[in-house]
Amino acid sequence: NAEYMGAENIECLTAAMGKAAVVTFFFLLCVASSLAYLPGVAPQDYEEGSEIKLTVNKLTSVKTQFPYEYYKAPYCRPDHVVEEQENLAQVLVGDRLESSDYQVLMGLPSACNILCKQSLDDGDASKFRELIDDEYRVNWLLDYLPAATRVHDEAHPNNIITYYERGFLVGFKKNDKYYLNNHVKLIVKYHWNEQDPQATEKRTARIVGFEVEPFSVQHVVEGQWNDKQLDQNKLTTCKAAGSIASGVEALYQNQPVDAKGDIVFTYDVEFVESTEKWASRWDHYLLMGDNQIHWFSIINSLMIVLFLTGMVAMIMLRTLHRDIRRYNEIAANTEEAQEETGWKLVHGDVFRPPVHPLLLSVYVGSGVQCFAMAVSTLFFAVLGFLSPANRGGLLLAMLLLFVFMGVFAGYYSARLYKTLKGDQWKRCTMMTAFGFPGVVFCIFFVLNGFSYFHQSTYVPFGSMFFLLVLWFGISVPLVFLGSYFGYKKPEVKHPVRTNQIPRQIPEQAWYMKPIFSILVGGILPFGAVFIELFFIMSSIWLHQFYYVFGFLFLVMIILVITCAEISIVMCYFQLCSEDYHWWWRSYLTSGSSAIYLFAYSILYFATRLQITKFLSALMFFGYMFIISYAFFIVTGTIGFFACFVFVRQIYAYVKVD
């Protein structure tokens, strides 16, 4: 055993890697305050007249999927731009939080505030026209609430649903002319905190809503323009006594986007007292417009899947019970034993190691790592730890949990590889540590390069370096640590012996051919999740909020049951056909659902998105390939373990000479 494992070498290597992991972990704790910053989670109280900071974020578009920094567009820029603190997940998704000159004072409404006057050149006008063509939206934050545009869903006149859309449009196009939204009405909703009537302190309020109404107004300046004192300028199209939003649109002209033209940016601030509590201020953002369809689809999907899995389980239990009883009855009768058929005939080959055992072990280890990460993330999300107020919290949790689950990847890949009589333990451990993360990192690196050359928001070198620190400093040592304990464990003993000479496999029916049976096996697991997949993809690519983690956790359970049962059923049919090559087939049967997921992403791209640019399409399919690949190794691992337990159990219950 010691010879096989190279105990001394692996112990020294694991000790060194363990020390490196500890040092790296404490290093990460030192910088955690900046990389896991959680603003907006605790309520902020504002006294009357105190400033509420308005922060600008990226410009986003569902047509290009390339976000831009706010000040890449020729908007009014402060003399000194202050970059806000961001966590790692915000950087990865392209958030860039920066200060602005918008002045919002608690409880003090104002109208016709002049922000600046911009003189556009040909490049500036072209930039605005490009943003308008691609339907870019402006994203702001006030008290860490995203700016939202109120939308009324009138699909059902008797039940009109009002919900929020993130941000507001840069401008619009009408009659082949481009117009810029240069005036905004900021609607700040608040409620006063309860206070003792005899208290001498100023009363305070909390922000519970932030809406924006954009307007396009071609302002007319009275007299000479004063750059030093903007409040001294007079606009005939805007009076301080009343906001533009309260007027009639026909009274002013829209602001065209023309080169060598001046554009005056203005804004109104309106405060609306609300009965909404601070704890429920995200409810409007998380409301889905087609809520009834969502609930009906989820319940319908669950009922169908539960019915199918229950029926499959009942058939399997009755069939197996009859097979085992028949085999045991004829075991003592040598004449009848000669005529036996079915899965018992391959008992001497069923545990023969498969081709490429190292690759199978690596895939199983990576699948365990991803599955443990997904379950842990959903568990914390269901308990409410991943609040939407914590921007990027979900992605950050997934990233850190994946890193720390490396110990399980190393353990299970090593344990399986030893069971399959493998002797290249170093190669197995290295491939587990660098295989799946390496593929994901390389694709992400290439896509990030596209963002850089497209002058979009990209992940800077510092954040990429930190990702490598997480990978090489924590994940890799934990994989080695898990492998050490996995190799130390004794190999799994099979209930039957393996013959020296492999048994010849008879000709298989067309429906039992590997490709057909594998593709059929992936339909049911995909059917269990495709309804919820629609909402998840909408949240990613249409920039909508997704917060129904309770349903998602339930769908996850249904997915696990479905993957396990369909893999067991197909494995049973395969063994009954005297085909004992079940190791890879069990993995690929449920894992093939990822093919349908990627095919569905193509359908979603063609029917729901309006992407026309090549690089944008490349970004979409690049990230969907990563998601599909992760889905493949998770579902494949579930099917493999289900079949592994199933095969061991059925051959342990039959009498074999």
Side-chain angles (χ1 to χ4, degrees):
N1 226 5
E3 255 179 30
Y4 168 75
M5 291 188 299
E8 293 183 2
N9 292 337
I10 197 170
E11 220 168 298
C12 295
L13 183 60
T14 304
M17 299 296 277
K19 291 178 182 178
V22 171
V23 172
T24 308
F25 177 73
F26 281 106
F27 166 75
L28 294 177
L29 283 180
C30 296
V31 298
S33 59
S34 62
L35 292 168
Y37 181 53
L38 307 178
V41 176
Q44 175 74 36
D45 296 328
Y46 296 94
E47 293 183 351
E48 189 171 4
S50 62
E51 183 180 1
I52 308 172
K53 183 170 60 176
L54 190 151
T55 307
V56 298
N57 198 358
K58 59 188 176 183
L59 305 174
T60 57
S61 168
V62 298
K63 293 182 68 174
T64 68
Q65 302 299 333
F66 280 105
Y68 289 103
E69 293 181 18
Y70 180 79
Y71 291 119
K72 288 284 186 181
Y75 283 113
C76 300
R77 185 185 181 94
D79 295 331
H80 179 64
V81 177
V82 179
E83 294 185 0
E84 298 292 320
Q85 196 173 24
E86 298 160 348
N87 60 46
L88 177 62
Q90 287 177 285
V91 175
L92 292 179
V93 298
D95 280 358
R96 297 295 184 269
L97 307 181
E98 297 171 309
S99 61
S100 72
D101 280 338
Y102 288 92
Q103 190 174 35
V104 182
L105 303 179
M106 182 63 219
L108 302 180
S110 58
C112 198
N113 301 294
I114 299 176
L115 190 65
C116 77
K117 184 178 75 169
Q118 290 284 84
S119 297
L120 302 184
D121 56 24
D122 291 336
D124 294 336
S126 176
K127 184 65 176 178
F128 270 132
R129 284 194 288 266
E130 182 183 352
L131 294 174
I132 293 172
D133 268 334
D134 292 331
E135 298 180 7
Y136 271 86
R137 300 182 73 87
V138 180
N139 294 278
W140 291 344
L141 294 175
L142 187 79
D143 191 43
Y144 298 102
L145 268 182
T149 306
R150 184 179 288 270
V151 177
H152 302 285
D153 185 0
E154 300 181 358
H156 304 283
N158 297 330
N159 185 24
I160 298 177
I161 300 175
T162 301
Y163 60 96
Y164 283 167
E165 282 188 354
R166 294 191 194 185
F168 60 93
L169 289 171
V170 171
F172 57 93
K173 187 177 180 181
K174 185 169 64 176
N175 298 328
D176 294 330
K177 291 187 177 181
Y178 296 88
Y179 299 97
L180 182 70
N181 287 325
N182 62 319
H183 179 90
V184 290
K185 180 181 181 181
L186 310 179
I187 303 174
V188 182
K189 297 184 177 182
Y190 69 97
H191 81 264
W192 295 109
N193 294 324
E194 296 181 0
Q195 190 176 19
D196 187 352
Q198 299 181 351
T200 57
E201 297 88 359
K202 289 184 179 180
R203 62 176 182 169
T204 58
R206 292 178 179 175
I207 307 302
V208 295
F210 178 36
E211 298 178 13
V212 176
E213 292 182 11
F215 298 88
S216 179
V217 182
Q218 188 173 16
H219 287 297
V220 179
V221 182
E222 290 184 3
Q224 289 292 111
W225 180 263
N226 189 342
D227 278 325
K228 299 295 180 66
Q229 295 178 315
L230 294 177
D231 57 345
Q232 298 299 318
N233 296 304
K234 303 296 182 183
L235 303 175
T236 59
T237 48
C238 184
K239 302 294 183 182
S243 66
I244 288 177
S246 62
V248 181
E249 187 175 356
L251 297 180
Y252 56 83
Q253 294 181 341
N254 293 327
Q255 174 62 58
V257 180
D258 296 323
K260 301 178 182 178
D262 293 336
I263 298 179
V264 179
F265 289 87
T266 56
Y267 65 99
D268 303 330
V269 181
E270 178 182 336
F271 285 88
V272 177
E273 189 169 359
S274 173
T275 57
E276 191 98 33
K277 297 298 183 182
W278 186 89
S280 57
R281 67 178 188 165
W282 278 89
D283 289 355
H284 289 293
Y285 294 91
L286 304 179
L287 180 66
M288 295 185 178
D290 47 1
N291 201 35
Q292 291 182 346
I293 300 175
H294 177 80
W295 281 74
F296 174 77
S297 300
I298 292 296
I299 295 173
N300 184 57
S301 177
L302 290 177
M303 293 299 293
I304 293 174
V305 172
L306 284 174
F307 172 75
L308 289 175
T309 52
M311 184 174 63
V312 167
M314 183 178 64
I315 293 173
M316 288 301 301
L317 288 175
R318 293 185 61 183
T319 305
L320 276 175
H321 180 71
R322 186 177 66 247
D323 284 350
I324 293 172
R325 185 179 59 190
R326 181 168 59 87
Y327 288 149
N328 289 336
E329 284 176 354
I330 67 175
N333 192 327
T334 56
E335 293 181 2
E336 293 185 8
Q338 298 297 325
E339 300 176 1
E340 67 179 25
T341 58
W343 52 267
K344 187 184 177 184
L345 283 178
V346 296
H347 65 83
D349 298 274
V350 71
F351 292 108
R352 187 179 303 279
V355 294
H356 308 301
L358 187 146
L359 190 60
L360 178 62
S361 303
V362 170
Y363 269 113
V364 168
S366 298
V368 170
Q369 184 179 11
C370 290
F371 179 72
M373 176 268 294
V375 172
S376 303
T377 304
L378 279 178
F379 177 75
F380 288 118
V382 169
L383 294 181
F385 288 107
L386 302 178
S387 167
N390 173 18
R391 298 176 62 82
L394 181 64
L395 180 59
L396 186 62
M398 292 176 63
L399 185 63
L400 294 179
L401 285 171
F402 178 81
V403 167
F404 288 110
M405 294 303 170
V407 65
F408 296 108
Y411 177 83
Y412 282 99
S413 66
R415 189 85 191 275
L416 177 61
Y417 190 53
K418 186 177 181 182
T419 301
L420 297 178
K421 312 299 182 184
D423 56 359
Q424 298 178 333
W425 61 268
K426 293 180 182 178
R427 188 178 178 188
C428 179
T429 305
M430 294 291 287
M431 288 183 66
T432 304
F434 296 102
F436 174 74
V439 171
V440 173
F441 184 83
C442 289
I443 296 175
F444 176 73
F445 185 80
V446 172
L447 296 179
N448 188 60
F450 290 151
S451 298
Y452 174 79
F453 289 111
H454 202 266
Q455 296 183 340
S456 174
T457 55
Y458 62 94
V459 180
F461 173 78
S463 299
M464 294 290 281
F465 176 75
F466 185 75
L467 286 177
L468 293 176
V469 170
L470 286 175
W471 183 10
F472 288 91
I474 294 183
S475 181
V476 172
L478 287 178
V479 171
F480 273 84
L481 184 66
S483 294
Y484 170 70
F485 287 108
Y487 280 116
K488 233 180 161 186
K489 285 275 187 179
E491 63 181 73
V492 179
K493 298 297 181 183
H494 300 308
V496 292
R497 293 191 303 270
T498 302
N499 295 334
Q500 293 289 338
I501 302 175
R503 178 187 176 88
Q504 186 175 0
I505 299 174
E507 182 68 23
Q508 301 292 302
W510 65 269
Y511 51 84
M512 289 306 299
K513 297 288 186 181
I515 295 179
F516 181 81
S517 60
I518 286 171
L519 291 178
V520 168
I523 295 176
L524 194 57
F526 174 74
V529 300
F530 87 97
I531 296 293
E532 200 67 21
L533 182 65
F534 169 81
F535 294 98
I536 295 174
M537 292 181 66
S538 296
S539 70
I540 297 173
W541 301 111
L542 297 180
H543 305 157
Q544 298 177 2
F545 289 98
Y546 183 88
Y547 204 64
V548 285
F549 294 114
F551 276 112
L552 188 58
F553 192 75
L554 185 58
V555 170
M556 182 75 175
I557 295 174
I558 296 297
L559 176 65
V560 172
I561 296 173
T562 309
C563 287
E565 290 195 351
I566 196 64
S567 297
I568 289 173
V569 170
M570 299 306 290
C571 181
Y572 173 74
F573 291 154
Q574 180 185 354
L575 294 177
C576 287
S577 300
E578 301 178 25
D579 182 358
Y580 52 84
H581 293 156
W582 63 272
W583 297 90
W584 274 107
R585 187 87 69 90
S586 65
Y587 194 99
L588 297 175
T589 296
S590 53
S592 65
S593 56
I595 298 175
Y596 297 100
L597 191 154
F598 192 76
Y600 179 75
S601 71
I602 298 175
L603 178 65
Y604 187 88
F605 177 86
T607 58
R608 302 290 300 182
L609 301 181
Q610 300 175 355
I611 295 177
T612 56
K613 297 182 179 180
F614 174 74
L615 283 182
S616 300
L618 205 60
M619 290 282 288
F620 173 84
F621 288 112
Y623 284 116
M624 285 309 303
F625 177 80
I626 292 177
I627 294 172
S628 301
Y629 187 41
F631 192 74
F632 164 71
I633 67 171
V634 169
T635 53
T637 300
I638 295 170
F640 172 81
F641 276 112
C643 287
F644 186 74
V645 173
F646 169 75
V647 173
R648 284 177 52 81
Q649 288 296 319
I650 65 173
Y651 283 97
Y653 279 109
V654 296
K655 298 175 182 178
V656 178
D657 293 335

